[in-house]
Structures are given as C-alpha cells and as structure tokens.
Amino acid sequence: MTTVVVEKLDVFKTHPLGKYLRRGMIPHIWCTGCGYGILMGEFLRAIDELGLDPDKIVIVSGIGCISRIPGYLNLDGLHVTHGRAIAVATGVKLANPDLHVVVFGGDGDLFAIGGNHFIHAARRNIEMTVICGNNFNYGMTGGQVAPTTPLQGRTTTSPYGNLENPFNLVYLAAAAGATYVARWTAIHVKWLRESIKKALMKKGFSFIEYISPCPEYYGRRNRMRDPLDWMRWFKEKSVIMNGIDPAKAELSMDRIVVGEFVDYERPGYVELLKQLERRVQESLKKRGIRTHARL
Amino acid sequence: MSEERRDVLTGTYFVIGDVAAAEGAIAAGCRFFAGYPITPSSELAEHMAVRLPEVGGVYIQMEDELGSMAALVGASYAGAKPMTATSGPGFSLMQENIGLAAMLEAPVVVVNVMRGGPSTGQPTKPGQQDVMQAKWGSHGDYEIIALAPSTVQECFDFTIEAFNYAEQYRTPVIVLMDEILGHTREKLVIPEPDQIRVVNRKRPKVPPEEYKPFEPEEDLVPPMAILGEGYRFYATGLTHNEQGFPRTDDPYEQEKLVRRLCDKIRRNKEKIVRVEEYMLEDADVAVIAFGSVARAAKAAVKLARKKGIRAGLLRLKTIWPFPEHIIERLAESVKSFVVAELNYGQIVREVERRVDYRRITFLPKFGEALHTPHEILEGIVRSVRGGKP
Amino acid sequence: MGRYEIRLGGLGGQGIILAGVVIGRAAAVYAGMNAVMGQSYGPEARGGASRSEVIISDEEIDYPRTLEPDLLAVMSQAAYEKYIGDLKPGGILVIDPDLVKVDDRAKKASKIYAVPATRIAESLGRRIVANMVLVGALTAITKLVPKEAMENSVKASVPPGTEALNLRAFNTGYEYGLRLLKEGEVEVKA
Ligand SMILES: Cc1ncc(C[n+]2csc(CCOP(=O)(O)OP(=O)(O)O)c2C)c(N)n1
Ligand code: SF4
Ligand SMILES: [Mg+2]
C-alpha cells in the first residue's frame, strides 16, 4: 500500500511574490473585481525586479480600502489616521533618510482630508513615492462622493448627481512640485510596474495616479457593476500620451489620458537638509562656537 | 566629554521658558521637531530651528498641527525622539494624532504653552485651560502623562523628564507650560551632560521571526522595534492584537488592548507623580496650584504664615496622572483647601472627586494676568473662616 | 538682599526690553543672584509702547511679576502716565528729563533722578544706545548688581560688534549716575 502525502500548499513559499506577503493577514478584505490587488501585485513585482532590500522599505497609509495594503505586505508598515499618511511618512523619511518610503492612499485620503499634506510634501520635494488609488469615491465607507467623483457622478452622498468639479490629480501634483508624475489604469499593468520602479528610484517626490475599479460602490451606481465594465472602459477610452502637459491629461468617461507627464530633477528635501546641516556645522567649527543661538 | 554630547550647552543662562524647554529637549536627545508657529510657543520652534541643524537633528515647519503631530509619530517609529510645541488652537488640532501616538504607543513629547481660550482667545496672555483637554482631548480611552513646570529651570528639567517618561512608557507626554513661563526670562542652569539622566525605549530582545510589536513585558510596555531594522512589523491605529494585526470585531482584544494602554500608566502612577509640598506639615489649609499660579500661591502662603494662618502649598508638578492619592492623604490632615487656577474649574473638579466640595474654596481666574498673592491670600482667609469672607 | 522690583517703560525702538535683559542677566548669570524678567507682548507692544520688568533677589523669587516696583524708570511721557500709579510709595523714580515731565503724582517717590539718557547717547554718536546709558545710571543709583557683572552682561547681550559702543554708553551712564547720587535728585515742580 502506498501513502500519498498531500502537502498543504504554502503560497507564502511557493508563489514568487509570497515572500512579500504577511502571514496571518491574508485573505484581504477587498471585493471581487476591486483594482487594488492588481496594484499591490505590480508594486511587489517592481520592488522585486529592482532588487530593493525589503528591510529598507516602509509603507505608510491612511484609512480607506487601499490603505489596507501595508497590512498585507511583509514589510515595515504604518497604518495611521485618515489623511495623515504623507505627514507621517515625512516624519519617517526625515528621521531615517535611508528608507524607501511609500504612501498608498485613496482619492479621499490623499486629496480631501489629506490634501494639504500632499501639496506641501510635493512642494518640499520630499523623497517619497505616493501612489493614489483613484476609484472616484470613498470605498471604505460605502461609496460617498469624493474630490475625484466626475461631474454628475452618482454616489450615496451625491444621489442626484455630483455638482463639484473633480480634481485632475496629475495636474495638481505637477503644479504642487512633484518631480515625477504618472497616471495608469488597472489594465496598464506593465507600464504601471515600470512607472513604480522609476518612482521608487526618484530622488524627490514622485506621484502615480492609479485608476482603480470599484465595482462594488462607484460601479453599482454608475452602470459599472461588473468589474469587466471597468476594464472595457479603460481599454476603449484610454490613450497613452507620455510627456503631455498634465493640464491636458483628460480623465472622463470619454477619454482617459495615461502616461508619464512629469519627470525632472530638482534637489530633494533630505538632500537640502543635509547640505544645510553641513553648512551650519562648518560655521560652528570655523567660528569656534558651540551654537549660533544667542542664549 | 564625548564629542557626541557637545549638544548640551552646560552653563548658566538668562532665557525664556520656551528656550529652556527647547534646550531640555536637545539635552534629552530630541533630534526631530515638527511644528507650526503659534504664540506663545513660537520662540520654542524658532530656537529649535537654530539648534537642531547644529546637533544633527531635523527641524521642519509643517503645513499645520495635524501634520506636525503626524510627523512626530512617523519620526518616533523611525527611531527619533520627536517633539512639537504649540498652544490652544494648535493643541486642538493635534488631538487626532495624539490619539494615534497613544494607540501606536509612539514616544512623543508635546509642549503646550497655554494661552487664553476658547478658540483664538488671548494669544499673548496666560491660561491654564487645557488641563482637561490634555487628558481627554482625543477620542477613546487612553491615559496620558502631563507635566507642569513652574520656573524656567523646570521648563528645562521637566522637558527632559517628559522625554524619559515618553520613552519608558511608550506614550505621548504633554508639557503644560503657560504664556508667563514661555515668555519670562529667568536663570537656567544647564548641568554637565553626565548629570543628565536620559532614558531610552526598550528594544526587542528576540529575533524578527519571534517579535510581536505589541507584546508587553511585565511593566505592560512592549519593546519597540524601529522601522528599517528588519523586524518587518505592522502598526495600525485599528484595534490590534499583540502581533499588530487588526482585530476590529473582537471585544476581547479591544478590552485587552485598552486596559493595557491605560494600566501601563495607571499602575505606575505613584512612580510617575511628582508634587512639591510646601509648609504642609502643620497646615490647616492647603492651597493647590500648578504652573505660574503656584508661584503666586507660594507667595500667598508666606503672607498667610506672617498673619499666623497655618497655610501650605501642594504644587502639582504632574497633572496627569492626577495625584489624587496625595490629595486624599492631605485631606486627612488639613481642614480646608484652596484651589487656584487660570480657568473656570478644571483642577478643582479632580480635587472634588476626592474631597467634599464644601471644604474647597475655588479661585478661578480667566487669564489676562496671574492671580496676585493677595487674591490667593484672600481665598486662604476665606477658607479658614469656613468659606465666609 | 530681598526682592527688588524694577519696571522700565518707554517706546518701541528705545531698547527698553534689552535694558531689562541686561539687568536681569547681570544679576542671574554674572552676580549669582536670582532674576525674573517679563516684557510687553502682542497688543500691549503695539502702538509703540514698550515695557520690561525685572525682579532681582538673593532668595528664590516666587511671584514672577512686579506688583509695586521699587524702581520705575520711564523714557516716555506715556509710560510715566501709565506706570506712575504702580510705583511703590517711597520708591525710586528715574526719568529722561527731555522726554518726561513729572507732576504731583511723582511725590510718592522718595527719590527722583533725571538721566538725560537720549541726549547723552546722542553725544556719543548713537541715539540707539540711550538704553545702555540708562542701565549704567541705574547700576550706579541702585548698587544692586556689581558694575563688573553689568559690564559682562552688556557684552553678552548686545549685538556682536557693538560691544565697545554699548560699554562706552553704559560707563558714561554709570558716571552720570554716580554724580547724581552726590548732587542729589530732581525737585518736583508741579
Ligand atoms: C477623521 C476621519 N474622518 C472620516 C473617516 C471615515 N473614512 C474612512 S475611509 C474614508 C474615505 C476613504 O476613501 P478613499 O480615501 O478614497 O479610499 P478608498 O476606500 O476609496 O480606497 C472615510 C471618509 C475616518 N476614518 N477618519
Ligand atoms: S469598496 Fe470598492 S475600492 Fe473598496 S474594496 Fe470594494 S471594490 Fe475595492
Ligand atoms: Mg477612493
């Protein structure tokens, strides 16, 4: 008689990206057809292909469906208050500049309650990567209107159609001073991955807008209940236009302009801080004093 | 002395409380300051902006106090000893992430140089109206440590102590100063570095595979790993278990966590609390006060003694946890109490929880200026006469 | 020496605050005494008024504000009007006679000294050092804090590069103060 040993499949070992997942936290909470899994997968492929030391990556997120990402990753992660991820990440980066600091946030988290932190971190050019999952609404809380909800878009709190003009996030990021800005949808996986790699290696504030299906809430009220409706929309209406003026990067039901819009160099905040520190300390030495303060 | 401690500017100075607190922070090892200017705390930030680059630290003026407090939590987890300074309106904005710091057990220090409120109130006048907000300001159950200096020297000393408590108990610690202290110049003696006691947070003793970020030791405080060290931990503001995993539906984990967050401070109350007892041995009436007001109270006690009234002073150096055990003990020996504070009744409520209100003469003051010694003396006289003027 | 309260009043730009800092620092840092100093802030400092106050003592200083100044020095009529009522009966009043006219209320002072600090400073070439002339005169008049401690404090408190000028002003004021002590004080003509 033969015994067949059935080994329990351990995806944490067998899957090529399994080593990046946190035991005990899977399964995830996302709905069927949600776009965040695709994003998370591409992020892991990006860090894997770059060969980054996983011990030196810190993920920070606020509150929202997308903000659960750091919980699922076997990396250092902070899951903080709604809207404050970028401010927390600023503290992390400045206190330890050797870390790769990545923020995942929703459109509400980063651009409504946390909008102020976003524009100021971009202005300061703090060396971090911010990835926004734009699903046109507040997924976590049940599908309310967001600063990215299209005009006339239906949500639980815009039941008669949205009156507010949505932000063009890539234009906003560029105007605020981000040195790398790109937009992709859930079907642009390879571009997305390459873009994440670039963003991670950027010595400045990098921003990626990821257009993410939310069939569960936004879809339900806007005739895109089937996840495939979203994919069809992305496929039919998106055009890649690298390098165009982000002000012209349209995002509507009729047209989704994707691509890399901004990519240039200017000194990052950490770099400037280090220069400042050197200058201050040299001045102390030269003048033979212990402080510039008049005590 | 080692090169490393050139940061401590040993010597005698004549500086304002804001500057003394900043120097205390640096002496305690603070190398990260994030803040937003507000009177009467701005001089503290300005001093840090000069000093931190000199000692290899980071100063950043954030876009608001929400962001300042959030940055502190991030910096704390990245291994820094961070601090911010603010006053009423900014303190309100910080509450959100003071709660986060309490939940994530991030050692951080917040200096609140209190001014008159509510709202924008009296920016350049003293207040003591944030006593309750310091304790209850963020939502949910948590405990906090709040210290209240009375002199410029104590602004320095207590800020060091605040960092030490923050590190030891992994908690936000509030330093409750007031406009008078913040803006008053006084003698500050900065000791030799080796005379300064500096406490650092407990670090994990186990390898990453065995590390649970919220598994407490006997003192209820979990050892703290730092981001980027290879522990690959997750810390969430959601209710979490010892591993740090969200447990948002589990009443058992909720109770376990909240009890521990509170008990790690409650159980150590007697170790944390500090008071000054002045002429209380034979006192009939005890004045209770803190901060600048306690100095007026001390002057009043001296005046009362000259008049033959056996008065004494209980000066609160720790506001939270509240020294109720000391007040309870005092209630056995004195006949009556006078509570003087720059608000319309905050400390007095805590005293009333331990002492019959009929034994208490309450002396509120609404800001603008400190109580004068004579105003408090009058209260003492009224108190010994059984409340009658 | 017990508690001694000094209040200085004048206009913004006269260096009233720095004068207070110099006196307090001299006492606290260079003379081993205790000192507490407060100053006008915010609305009070708007409209050009300036106030500083210093409490000096060999003992612990409890109450950190002046209640009844033992010495009031005023460099503007507005400051005189505002603070003369607070002066302790029997206290000392110091005025810049070119800027302040006293009245009956000044009679509560046991001594009144006129120090033309602004004029003296102008004669030294810089009106801006009138405050140090005043501090010098107060040092001589009160004998609270040793002259050497005051000089050290001047050096430590004034902007770098201006030490010599400020010390000259301080010393001129000091000499003037000594002379006043010998020659006696001002008569109050109401
Ligand atoms: C201060 C505060 N206000 C409100 C909430 C409730 N809340 C949680 S997530 C969320 C919005 C999430 O939307 P988004 O950031 O777009 O992320 P998504 O869930 O769509 O990925 C809100 C309003 C909160 N947690 N904290
Ligand atoms: S609600 Fe929307 S965004 Fe949230 S998990 Fe479901 S599909 Fe994804
Ligand atoms: Mg969203």
Side-chain angles (χ1 to χ4, degrees), chain B residues 302-320:
Chain B
K302 290 178 193 166
L303 293 173
R305 287 275 169 176
K306 273 189 206 149
K307 282 180 160 245
I309 301 172
R310 285 202 298 243
L313 169 68
L314 180 71
R315 175 163 76 91
L316 312 182
K317 300 179 179 181
T318 316
I319 304 292
W320 303 111

Side-chain angles (χ1 to χ4, degrees), chain A residues 19-20 22-25 53-56 58 63 67-68 70-71 74-82 84 87-92 94-96 99 113 116-118 120-121 124 126 269 273 276-277 280-281 284 289-293 295, chain B residues 5-10 13-15 19 23 32 47 50-51 53-64 66-67 70-71 73-75 77-78 80 96-97 100 104 226-238 245-247:
Chain A
K19 61 179 185 235
Y20 294 115
R22 196 186 299 279
R23 275 178 197 272
M25 286 292 290
D53 177 358
D55 286 347
K56 298 293 172 200
V58 176
I63 304 294
S67 303
R68 294 305 185 100
N74 186 24
L75 303 169
D76 279 335
L78 297 179
H79 180 218
V80 301
T81 34
H82 190 32
R84 312 294 165 226
V88 172
T90 298
V92 172
L94 299 190
N96 184 356
L99 303 174
I113 191 166
N116 208 23
H117 309 306
F118 181 88
H120 288 279
R124 297 181 182 116
I126 295 182
Y269 194 84
L273 260 183
L276 174 100
E277 191 183 310
V280 168
Q281 292 181 359
L284 286 182
I289 52 176
R290 291 180 67 184
T291 178
H292 296 94
L295 279 173
Chain B
R5 296 254 66 185
R6 284 183 55 84
D7 55 325
V8 178
L9 300 175
T10 304
Y13 302 93
F14 188 61
V15 291
V19 166
E23 285 299 330
F32 186 95
H47 192 72
V50 175
R51 287 285 281 137
E54 296 178 341
V55 297
V58 173
Y59 170 89
I60 183 169
Q61 183 169 311
M62 292 295 285
E63 47 276 8
D64 55 35
L66 299 158
V73 174
Y77 261 90
E96 175 192 70
N97 295 302
L100 179 69
L104 297 188
I226 296 307
L227 299 169
E229 284 185 328
Y231 280 86
R232 307 238 207 132
F233 63 92
Y234 175 59
T236 173
L238 295 170
F245 296 171
R247 287 296 177 265

Side-chain angles (χ1 to χ4, degrees), chain B residues 120-181:
Chain B
T120 313
Q122 295 192 307
T124 57
K125 296 295 169 197
Q128 295 184 324
Q129 300 155 4
D130 305 346
V131 168
M132 287 297 167
Q133 193 185 17
K135 171 66 188 81
W136 307 104
S138 204
H139 53 281
D141 283 317
Y142 63 98
E143 288 287 341
I144 203 123
I145 297 175
L147 309 178
S150 277
T151 62
V152 167
Q153 183 67 44
E154 283 185 349
C155 291
F156 177 88
D157 297 341
F158 286 18
T159 303
I160 295 174
E161 199 62 21
F163 276 97
N164 289 346
Y165 281 145
E167 293 283 318
Q168 183 176 353
Y169 295 105
R170 286 192 62 179
T171 178
V173 177
I174 318 286
V175 182
L176 286 175
M177 289 171 42
D178 58 58
E179 186 274 341
I180 292 195
L181 273 175

Side-chain angles (χ1 to χ4, degrees), chain A residues 36 106-108 133-139 146:
Chain A
Y36 291 150
D107 38 73
N134 180 1
N135 58 5
F136 308 103
N137 77 145
Y138 289 2

Side-chain angles (χ1 to χ4, degrees), chain A residues 229-263:
Chain A
D229 295 336
W230 291 75
M231 295 307 191
R232 231 173 271 123
W233 173 38
F234 296 159
K235 185 156 178 287
E236 284 164 15
K237 302 294 181 190
S238 64
V239 281
I240 299 179
M241 297 184 79
N242 289 317
I244 80 153
D245 178 355
K248 302 195 175 98
E250 187 180 339
L251 172 54
S252 69
M253 290 314 291
D254 301 326
R255 189 171 151 89
I256 305 174
V257 175
V258 297
E260 279 178 355
F261 307 116
V262 175
D263 188 2

Side-chain angles (χ1 to χ4, degrees), chain A residues 17-288:
Chain A
L17 298 175
K19 61 179 185 235
Y20 294 115
L21 297 180
R22 196 186 299 279
R23 275 178 197 272
M25 286 292 290
I26 313 288
H28 59 68
I29 64 159
W30 296 318
C31 314
T32 310
C34 176
Y36 291 150
I38 298 171
L39 171 64
M40 193 168 90
E42 290 317 308
F43 174 75
L44 292 181
R45 287 184 186 93
I47 59 171
D48 198 55
E49 287 174 18
L50 284 173
L52 294 184
D53 177 358
D55 286 347
K56 298 293 172 200
I57 304 172
V58 176
I59 316 289
V60 186
S61 69
I63 304 294
C65 296
I66 189 174
S67 303
R68 294 305 185 100
I69 285 181
Y72 305 137
L73 302 186
N74 186 24
L75 303 169
D76 279 335
L78 297 179
H79 180 218
V80 301
T81 34
H82 190 32
R84 312 294 165 226
I86 290 178
V88 172
T90 298
V92 172
K93 182 67 186 181
L94 299 190
N96 184 356
D98 296 336
L99 303 174
H100 278 280
V101 179
V102 183
V103 170
F104 284 97
D107 38 73
D109 189 70
L110 293 175
F111 292 98
I113 191 166
N116 208 23
H117 309 306
F118 181 88
I119 56 175
H120 288 279
R123 175 177 66 83
R124 297 181 182 116
N125 202 23
I126 295 182
E127 295 90 333
M128 64 167 78
T129 297
V130 175
I131 301 176
C132 175
N134 180 1
N135 58 5
F136 308 103
N137 77 145
Y138 289 2
M140 190 75 188
T141 40
Q144 294 83 11
V145 74
T148 49
T149 305
L151 274 174
Q152 296 308 330
R154 304 267 164 158
T155 69
T156 54
T157 50
S158 60
Y160 307 109
N162 178 29
L163 303 179
E164 302 176 10
N165 201 46
F167 272 140
N168 175 349
L169 300 183
V170 292
Y171 184 29
L172 177 69
T179 46
Y180 179 86
V181 178
R183 174 195 285 153
W184 305 103
T185 76
I187 61 163
H188 295 92
V189 286
K190 268 168 43 200
W191 289 273
L192 174 66
R193 191 191 314 168
E194 292 309 313
S195 200
I196 293 173
K197 285 194 225 161
K198 268 197 178 171
L200 284 170
M201 299 319 287
K202 190 82 193 171
K203 297 246 173 311
F205 187 90
S206 53
F207 173 66
I208 298 173
E209 177 182 9
Y210 168 74
I211 311 287
S212 186
C214 176
E216 186 69 23
Y217 288 120
Y218 194 73
R220 187 202 300 265
R221 284 172 185 259
N222 294 277
R223 281 180 259 125
M224 293 193 288
R225 181 67 189 90
D226 184 337
L228 283 179
D229 295 336
W230 291 75
M231 295 307 191
R232 231 173 271 123
W233 173 38
F234 296 159
K235 185 156 178 287
E236 284 164 15
K237 302 294 181 190
S238 64
V239 281
I240 299 179
M241 297 184 79
N242 289 317
I244 80 153
D245 178 355
K248 302 195 175 98
E250 187 180 339
L251 172 54
S252 69
M253 290 314 291
D254 301 326
R255 189 171 151 89
I256 305 174
V257 175
V258 297
E260 279 178 355
F261 307 116
V262 175
D263 188 2
Y264 73 104
E265 304 295 329
R266 72 181 165 100
Y269 194 84
V270 167
E271 191 189 327
L272 292 172
L273 260 183
K274 282 188 174 159
Q275 284 174 17
L276 174 100
E277 191 183 310
R278 234 175 289 130
R279 190 152 46 83
V280 168
Q281 292 181 359
E282 270 164 22
S283 150
L284 286 182
K285 257 201 215 116
K286 216 169 75 195
R287 298 170 56 186

